[in-house]
Amino acid sequence: MEESGLAAEITELFEGIGLKPPAEQEGTLIAVSPIDGSKLASFRRATPAMADEAIKRAQTAFLEWRETPAPRRGELIRQYGDLVRDNKEPLSRILSIDCGKSLAEARGEIQEVIDICEYAVGLSRQLFGLQIACERPGHRMAEAWHPVGVFAQISAFNFPAAVWSWGTMVALVCGNAAIWKPSEKAPLTALACGGLLDQVINRFEDAPANLSQVMLGDGAIGRVLADDRRIAVISATGSTTMGRDVAGRVAARLGRSILELGGNNAAIVTPNADMDLAIEGCVFGAAGTAGQRCTTMRRLIVHEDIHDEFLDRMRQGYGQLRVGSPLDESAHVGPLIDQAAFEGMQAALDAAREQGGQIWGGERVLEDAFPGAFYARPAIAAMPGQTPIVLTETFAPILYVMKYRDLEEAIALNNAAPQGLSSSIFSTDMRETELFLSHAGSDCGIANVNIGTSGAEIGGAFGGEKDTGGGRASGSDTWKNYMRRSTNTINYSSQLNLAQGLKFGASAA
Ligand code: UN1
């Protein structure tokens, strides 16, 4: 495999942020840039024995870290957030080269890491329990939240930094030790973000060594983590197939998992929509990040009266999109992650054609400039209805467009997908928008009005239902997923009163 200038740039970027460049090892795990298909570095894969050692080290770190008061734990994360802020530009470039995301979106992702650090710092003073009304006199009942143990994060290539930070920053503030298994398709972002975290941990007085560890490997090492009883909580983001495997393994040992898996997200556009805004929201939602967000808009359900005009305007919008290197700031759409992603996209477009769809775009471009990479024009597929391919998540920029007649029908189409991550409605009619948000509306974990399906802020709970896995990885009260709850009943009277008015033995006499 060829090397290009990108490997040299990675070396410079790592050195620039004070980290050892990813060494050229003997290993079989090869980091490839989706920008041009060139080799960036190679690594040895973690073995099960290495995972065992890492878990042991993490357990030792956990026992020490849980003794550090939570606000002090927050101070570590504050320092890390500052370091990420200072290094936002080089980290964004590393991320862009690593996973092919446009530089603008890579900056957005690193900003998401900074935001989650701030959020976690705030949380570090708010890990509070409840005081609960007690039925017995002279008793007090309360609940407390305690660190839970070793936390493991399995992250996907498409958000190689933000998704890790959602879990890990919160888990650390909650008093846990953390292990990260990043996607083998984007390992360099993990080495950079994890390396900077190590810098902070190493100079922080109250933080034990090995509080955070990165393990490079493929699904095999993910399965080792999923099977291991010493991993108290495991969070996994990726495909539904991967999530089912992790869920089964963790359930078999009665462990705790937080799953954020696939999405087949739809937007409904009603005749009451602000059309300009809807076009803008749908073009970004469907074509942004080259269709490789779990929140990417994949289905568009448009009222029959405006369908043809809306489709025309979407096609015009797509016509303005520039596909190009993610490092070229004038490009909107970068490459697909690899050849398999491109082939998956082509297979889905073939199926859509067979199922009566009319397709625009989808072809490979820039093959001469980047023969080893896979750039494709985002595709729009006008479909005769919600055919099987429309209900299949393809991790590529394909937007299936369908008609509806009444809003109940549109909501039923929205909810017919096996996944339930994100959804949105474009309408200025509050009867329509409130119905969509109600119990009888969208069944997704995220339901938006007049914005697209992607681009959630970190403060809200993030995740979804059904095949999306049911987990909530970030925001709101999800910190509780990273702690264990202890219910405490304290008797400060001199009587032994049993609950439910029970009388027992001598006390009954
Ligand atoms: C993902 O694609 O796995 O809501 C996460 C969004 C981003 C996160 C996406 N904040 O689009």
Side-chain angles (χ1 to χ4, degrees):
M1 193 176 300
E2 296 283 304
E3 268 191 32
S4 70
L6 293 176
E9 186 174 350
I10 283 289
T11 299
E12 256 170 58
L13 286 163
F14 269 72
E15 281 169 354
I17 59 176
L19 294 175
K20 241 178 43 211
E24 175 84 16
Q25 301 176 355
E26 293 291 287
T28 52
L29 200 157
I30 297 172
V32 172
S33 175
I35 294 179
D36 61 1
S38 66
K39 178 177 168 183
L40 298 171
S42 83
F43 306 98
R44 267 190 291 274
R45 289 160 202 270
T47 59
M50 284 157 78
D52 178 59
E53 288 303 316
I55 296 170
K56 275 190 199 134
R57 289 194 293 268
Q59 278 189 309
T60 308
F62 162 66
L63 294 177
E64 208 177 316
W65 184 235
R66 68 177 182 179
E67 299 296 333
T68 302
R72 184 80 189 130
R73 303 195 294 250
E75 172 59 18
L76 175 95
I77 303 304
R78 191 190 63 72
Q79 291 184 17
Y80 180 61
D82 286 349
L83 191 61
V84 174
R85 188 180 267 107
D86 290 345
N87 291 292
K88 183 171 171 182
E89 201 50 34
L91 284 173
S92 304
R93 275 193 91 81
I94 291 171
L95 193 149
S96 191
I97 294 170
D98 196 25
C99 78
K101 185 176 285 195
S102 80
L103 206 45
E105 291 196 45
R107 290 188 188 109
E109 177 162 357
I110 297 299
Q111 185 58 46
E112 204 167 326
V113 177
I114 297 166
D115 293 345
I116 200 82
C117 287
E118 290 186 354
Y119 172 80
V121 175
L123 268 182
S124 72
R125 290 181 184 270
Q126 297 180 73
L127 304 172
F128 51 79
L130 296 171
Q131 197 79 241
I132 298 159
C134 195
E135 68 186 49
R136 285 166 279 185
H139 285 58
R140 182 169 71 79
M141 184 160 59
E143 61 183 28
W145 293 90
H146 299 302
V148 70
V150 180
F151 166 72
Q153 177 85 51
I154 297 177
S155 62
F157 79 84
N158 66 327
F159 269 82
V163 166
W164 160 73
S165 70
W166 292 349
T168 300
M169 296 308 118
V170 173
L172 290 176
V173 151
C174 289
N176 306 310
I179 294 177
W180 182 9
K181 201 223 64 81
S183 165
E184 66 272 29
K185 294 181 185 177
L188 297 181
T189 308
L191 293 179
C193 292
L196 289 187
L197 182 55
D198 273 347
Q199 284 180 1
V200 180
I201 289 170
N202 293 341
R203 66 174 187 234
F204 195 83
E205 224 176 278
D206 309 324
N210 306 308
L211 184 57
S212 145
Q213 299 174 80
V214 178
M215 263 183 355
L216 300 183
D218 53 19
I221 214 70
R223 288 190 279 278
V224 169
L225 294 172
D227 284 336
D228 200 302
R229 296 184 66 85
R230 296 167 296 176
I231 303 291
V233 181
I234 185 162
S235 177
T237 296
S239 69
T240 296
T241 312
M242 176 279 295
R244 258 189 237 292
D245 184 31
V246 169
R249 288 166 189 274
V250 178
R253 62 176 173 89
L254 303 180
R256 197 190 295 176
S257 59
I258 303 170
L259 301 173
E260 193 260 291
L261 311 172
N264 192 352
N265 317 294
I268 297 171
V269 183
T270 87
N272 299 305
D274 172 334
M275 291 300 159
D276 293 343
L277 185 143
I279 293 286
E280 215 181 311
C282 294
V283 171
F284 171 71
T289 332
Q292 298 175 113
R293 286 191 192 224
C294 57
T295 50
T296 289
M297 190 185 294
R298 308 200 182 280
R299 298 178 294 144
L300 194 53
I301 305 165
V302 187
H303 191 270
E304 58 183 9
D305 290 351
I306 56 165
H307 174 272
D308 294 355
E309 187 200 337
F310 199 79
L311 185 59
D312 278 352
R313 290 196 57 190
M314 282 298 291
R315 286 177 52 202
Q316 284 167 28
Y318 269 48
Q320 321 263 300
L321 293 174
R322 281 205 54 225
V323 183
S325 163
L327 299 176
D328 169 356
E329 304 244 17
S330 67
H332 305 99
V333 178
L336 294 168
I337 186 71
D338 57 17
Q339 182 167 1
F342 177 75
E343 286 168 0
M345 179 177 182
Q346 299 310 307
L349 291 174
D350 288 346
R353 256 180 230 108
E354 269 163 36
Q355 292 168 25
Q358 192 182 355
I359 320 287
W360 295 273
E363 70 277 10
R364 186 166 176 193
V365 290
L366 298 172
E367 204 176 338
D368 293 341
F370 302 112
F374 292 86
Y375 292 79
R377 282 214 70 79
I380 295 183
M383 300 301 293
Q386 192 144 259
T387 66
I389 191 65
V390 179
L391 288 174
T392 307
E393 181 195 20
T394 302
F395 216 62
I398 303 175
L399 179 64
Y400 300 103
V401 186
M402 294 157 283
K403 286 181 190 164
Y404 80 90
R405 184 165 300 168
D406 58 62
L407 189 55
E408 280 76 10
E409 179 198 353
I411 291 172
L413 287 169
N414 177 76
N415 293 352
Q419 307 86 348
L421 178 57
S422 187
S423 58
S424 70
I425 188 168
F426 286 90
S427 170
T428 55
D429 179 324
M430 63 93 83
R431 290 186 180 151
E432 290 182 331
T433 58
E434 290 293 324
L435 178 66
F436 179 76
L437 298 179
S438 76
H439 56 273
S442 164
D443 65 358
C444 295
I446 297 171
N448 293 334
V449 174
N450 293 326
I451 58 169
T453 51
S454 65
E457 297 176 23
I458 55 100
F462 185 93
E465 308 304 332
K466 304 188 292 186
D467 278 6
T468 302
R472 295 296 185 276
S474 165
S476 187
D477 59 355
T478 57
W479 59 270
K480 293 177 177 172
N481 292 331
Y482 302 87
M483 301 200 87
R484 67 177 174 84
R485 184 194 314 242
S486 168
T487 301
N488 311 134
T489 307
I490 304 111
N491 178 8
Y492 58 89
S493 77
S494 49
Q495 312 281 305
L496 186 75
N497 290 305
L498 299 179
Q500 294 88 43
L502 201 71
K503 300 283 180 227
F504 179 73
S507 61

